[in-house]
């Protein structure tokens, strides 16, 4: 390996780790804790690549990047930041950096990006994207996990393009918020974001919703002229409407804006919680329309796949509830641990609803694990048994058991007592389902028949026979 690497970070330990790792790979390294020094080196022609933090003691690096690009248009710049938000990724992309990495970083990933940057020619003319003013810097996308950083990086590459985007993800993962980010942070934010929920609209009215019926009653395609059209639950679009939407994409049926007399200029974003490719295979979705929608894809992870974000999301929802007039509350560590352990079948939306419900129903200033368990169990009763796992129900009861003990611990022998509590209803249900037939019950349970008979006696469960 060869190449000159400039490192700028106010954290001496980060400078040391990067310097040592890059030196071992054969690079010549210079490191500084000041943005001014980095600017001086770049102005003097030093370095073949730059790795820099965003917030330096003497300057925000984004303020200097336009000058760096003007002086050294072919110099690849890698930006790293602990402010791991969508805005950081968008700002990095707008300033033409080679890549953006979140802190804490993976050293192997940094090395891979450096190698790729030195092997990839930087286009000689990549001025910062001119997006104008009026952008809201406080966008509601929340999360610092590796999964969300990848979403931010992809989103940053898409905001200032007009590519059609397909957003996929389970219900409650934030598809509409992601579409809002694509619109609000991009060049079309002065236009409207028009949303059509195809899953909620009556099938016979979908064509009217999208295409209108007359110049006096234009559809959503005309309403979104100059802006963005979000098609929620695109999988519910009827086949005949799919044909007509495809004709609009292909220019066969132009969507005319009656107010201008010209074809509507619209960016389309589609969202779905279903596998469109599978629907194509089943003949329920047109393959040609699928390919027109799937130009760029954002696949949002379920909340259970990014548990590192749960605490930050919960605290953000507490602050939001407070701003809306509900009482100010905090979460204790046990409550946070229980939130992180829950699988959240309803994803971010379920977490937000839980926090709002607790803020509204409980006078306690501190939200405890017992409160969280109680509400999760209650919501499971309302939503059905599938909404919460057996492990959640067991844990909820254990939390209440330990809470009722106060400063003491439960009596010794807890392990056997918990097993008995689970075994009794399990054996009763299995025996009831098999009509009291212990051979079939043992087979269903996957245990020896003698073991089953012995446990039934010990637990006092009567193996009654029936139909």
């Amino acid at each position: 390996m060869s190449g000159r690497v400039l490192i700028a970070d106010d954290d001496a330990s980060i400078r040391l780790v990067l310097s040592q790792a890059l030196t071992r790979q054969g690079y010549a390294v210079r490191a500084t804790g000041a943005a001014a020094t980095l600017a001086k080196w770049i102005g003097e022609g030093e370095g073949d690549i730059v790795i820099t933090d965003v917030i330096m003691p003497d300057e925000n690096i984004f303020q200097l990047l336009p000058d760096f690009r003007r002086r050294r248009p072919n110099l690849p710049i890698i930006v790293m930041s602990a402010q791991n938000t969508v805005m950081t990724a968008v700002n990095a992309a707008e300033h033409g950096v080679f890549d953006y990495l979140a802190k804490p970083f993976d050293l192997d990933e940094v090395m891979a990006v450096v190698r790729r940057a030195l092997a990839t020619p930087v286009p000689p003319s990549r001025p910062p994207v001119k997006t104008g003013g009026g952008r809201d810097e406080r966008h509601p996308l929340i999360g610092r996990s590796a999964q969300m950083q990848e979403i931010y990086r992809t989103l940053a590459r898409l905001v200032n393009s007009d590519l059609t985007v397909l957003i996929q993800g389970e219900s409650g993962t934030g598809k509409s918020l992601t579409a809002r980010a694509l619109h609000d942070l991009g060049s079309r934010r002065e236009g409207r974001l028009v949303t059509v929920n195809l899953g909620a609209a009556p099938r016979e009215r979908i064509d009217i919703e999208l295409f209108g019926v007359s110049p006096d009653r234009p559809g959503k395609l005309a309403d979104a002229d100059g802006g963005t059209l979000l098609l929620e639950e695109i999988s519910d679009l009827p086949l005949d409407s799919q044909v007509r939407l495809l004709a609009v994409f292909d220019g066969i049926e132009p969507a005319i804006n009656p107010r201008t007399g010209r074809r509507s200029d619209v960016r389309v974003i589609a969202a779905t919680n279903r596998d469109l490719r599978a629907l194509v295979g089943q003949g329920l979705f047109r393959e040609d329309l699928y390919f027109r929608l799937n130009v760029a894809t954002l696949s949002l992870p379920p909340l259970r796949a990014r548990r590192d974000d749960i605490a930050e999301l919960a605290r953000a929802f507490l602050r939001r509830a407070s701003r809306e007039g509900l009482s100010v509350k905090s979460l204790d560590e046990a409550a946070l641990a229980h939130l992180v352990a829950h699988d959240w079948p309803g994803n971010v939306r379920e977490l937000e609803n839980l926090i709002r419900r607790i803020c509204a129903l409980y006078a306690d200033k501190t939200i405890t694990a017992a409160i969280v368990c109680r509400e999760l169990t209650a919501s499971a009763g309302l939503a059905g048994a599938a909404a919460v796992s057996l492990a959640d129900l067991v844990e909820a009861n254990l939390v209440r058991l330990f809470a009722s003990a106060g400063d003491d611990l439960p009596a010794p022998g807890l392990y056997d007592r918990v097993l008995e509590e689970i075994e009794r209803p399990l054996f009763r249900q299995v025996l009831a389902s098999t009509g009291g037939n212990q051979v079939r019950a043992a087979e269903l349970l996957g245990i020896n028949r003698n073991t089953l008979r012995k446990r039934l006696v010990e637990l006092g469960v009567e193996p009654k026979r029936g139909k």
Side-chain angles (χ1 to χ4, degrees):
M1 292 290 178
S2 63
R4 302 170 300 162
V5 183
L6 304 181
I7 298 172
D9 199 297
D10 61 337
D11 189 325
S13 62
I14 289 179
R15 296 199 301 271
L16 178 63
V17 168
L18 288 175
S19 296
Q20 290 179 340
L22 289 162
T23 300
R24 285 195 297 268
Q25 295 293 319
Y27 298 105
V29 180
R30 296 189 75 178
T32 179
T37 304
L38 176 64
K40 177 175 178 292
W41 289 343
I42 290 174
E44 293 171 348
E46 291 288 328
D48 300 312
I49 186 172
V50 173
I51 303 174
T52 179
D53 194 9
V54 173
I55 306 299
M56 301 289 284
D58 53 339
E59 188 66 88
N60 184 312
I61 212 70
F62 286 140
Q63 302 300 318
L64 301 178
L65 284 179
D67 184 59
F68 293 171
R69 303 293 298 133
R70 181 180 59 81
R71 289 171 176 265
R72 305 275 300 279
N74 296 319
L75 180 67
I77 297 173
I78 300 169
V79 166
M80 297 191 301
S81 177
Q83 293 185 327
N84 307 328
T85 67
V86 65
M87 285 310 308
T88 307
V90 169
N91 283 331
E94 287 182 350
H95 284 89
V97 306
F98 182 83
D99 208 343
Y100 153 70
L101 299 176
K103 292 182 178 179
F105 53 81
D106 180 88
L107 197 55
D108 290 337
E109 183 182 9
V110 175
M111 298 298 110
V113 172
V114 169
R115 289 193 295 270
R116 193 168 71 249
L118 289 172
T120 306
V122 177
S125 177
R126 288 176 59 190
V129 177
K130 302 293 184 182
T131 57
R135 182 168 62 193
D136 185 358
E137 300 287 324
R138 302 166 299 159
H139 213 275
L141 283 176
I142 298 170
R144 299 172 186 270
S145 62
Q147 293 88 341
M148 289 306 294
Q149 294 309 310
E150 187 57 39
I151 293 295
Y152 296 162
R153 279 194 289 267
T154 305
L155 192 148
R157 299 184 191 108
L158 295 174
V159 287
N160 288 305
S161 76
D162 270 345
L163 293 177
T164 302
V165 179
L166 177 63
I167 305 175
Q168 302 176 119
E170 295 178 8
S171 295
T173 49
K175 296 186 291 295
S176 60
L177 275 183
T178 304
R180 168 62 67 181
L182 282 168
H183 175 79
D184 286 353
L185 302 178
S187 55
R188 288 180 173 266
R189 64 180 174 276
E190 299 301 328
R192 293 179 61 194
L193 172 63
V194 177
T195 300
V196 182
N197 189 329
L198 299 170
R203 295 176 71 86
E204 65 275 9
R205 290 194 54 82
I206 285 178
D207 270 16
I208 296 174
E209 281 282 304
L210 286 176
F211 308 106
V213 292
S214 69
D216 295 330
R217 295 176 60 192
K220 300 297 186 182
L221 275 162
D223 291 343
D225 190 9
T228 305
L229 178 67
L230 170 59
L231 300 175
E232 291 187 327
E233 307 305 336
I234 187 66
S235 56
D236 289 329
L237 186 65
L239 283 170
D240 53 350
S241 298
Q242 292 179 32
V243 174
R244 194 168 178 187
L245 181 60
L246 183 64
V248 171
F249 274 120
D250 291 338
I252 300 171
E253 181 181 334
I256 302 299
N257 183 345
R259 292 180 287 271
T260 64
R262 297 190 300 271
R263 176 176 174 150
S264 292
D265 173 24
V266 176
R267 181 187 195 177
V268 175
I269 299 174
T272 181
N273 60 6
R274 301 177 68 185
D275 184 349
L276 285 190
R277 200 74 185 97
L279 294 180
V280 169
Q282 297 167 20
L284 300 176
F285 202 88
R286 292 183 61 94
E287 186 175 40
D288 43 8
L289 179 58
Y290 168 74
F291 286 126
R292 293 307 300 265
L293 294 171
N294 193 32
V295 178
T297 304
L298 279 166
S299 296
L300 302 186
L303 190 53
R304 62 185 172 276
R306 56 181 187 110
R307 296 182 190 273
D308 291 348
D309 293 331
I310 290 176
E312 183 182 2
L313 283 162
R315 293 188 179 106
F317 295 147
L318 284 173
R319 292 192 295 270
R320 186 177 300 173
S322 176
R323 288 195 301 270
E324 293 173 356
L326 296 173
S327 59
V328 178
K329 298 186 188 301
S330 62
L331 286 151
D332 69 19
E333 290 303 316
L336 277 175
H338 195 71
L339 292 176
V340 172
H342 186 57
D343 274 345
W344 300 109
N347 293 294
V348 180
R349 185 184 298 127
E350 181 188 359
L351 174 60
E352 181 175 15
N353 289 341
L354 175 80
I355 295 296
R356 290 176 62 85
R357 186 166 67 250
I358 290 174
C359 288
L361 297 180
Y362 290 84
D364 313 58
K365 292 296 184 184
T366 300
I367 300 172
T368 64
I371 291 174
V372 169
C373 290
R374 190 179 306 133
E375 287 305 310
L376 283 174
T377 304
S379 64
L382 291 173
V388 67
S389 68
L390 176 62
D392 282 320
L393 295 172
V394 171
E395 187 169 359
N397 279 280
L398 288 173
V399 167
R400 282 195 288 271
L401 174 65
F402 277 84
S404 65
D407 295 332
D408 300 322
L409 292 174
L414 180 61
Y415 180 80
D416 288 335
R417 292 202 304 276
V418 170
L419 288 185
E420 289 178 3
E421 289 286 340
I422 295 174
E423 282 183 309
R424 280 194 182 90
L426 174 63
F427 290 157
R428 288 189 185 114
Q429 183 60 46
V430 170
L431 288 168
S433 300
T434 61
N437 187 318
Q438 294 185 41
V439 174
R440 293 178 61 196
E443 182 182 359
L444 179 59
L445 289 165
I447 62 176
N448 183 276
R449 182 188 176 187
N450 291 331
T451 302
L452 172 63
R453 184 184 296 113
K454 179 173 179 289
R455 289 302 292 154
L456 292 176
V457 172
E458 292 171 346
L459 296 170
V461 176
E462 179 65 28
K464 296 179 180 177
R465 287 197 169 271
K467 288 187 179 181

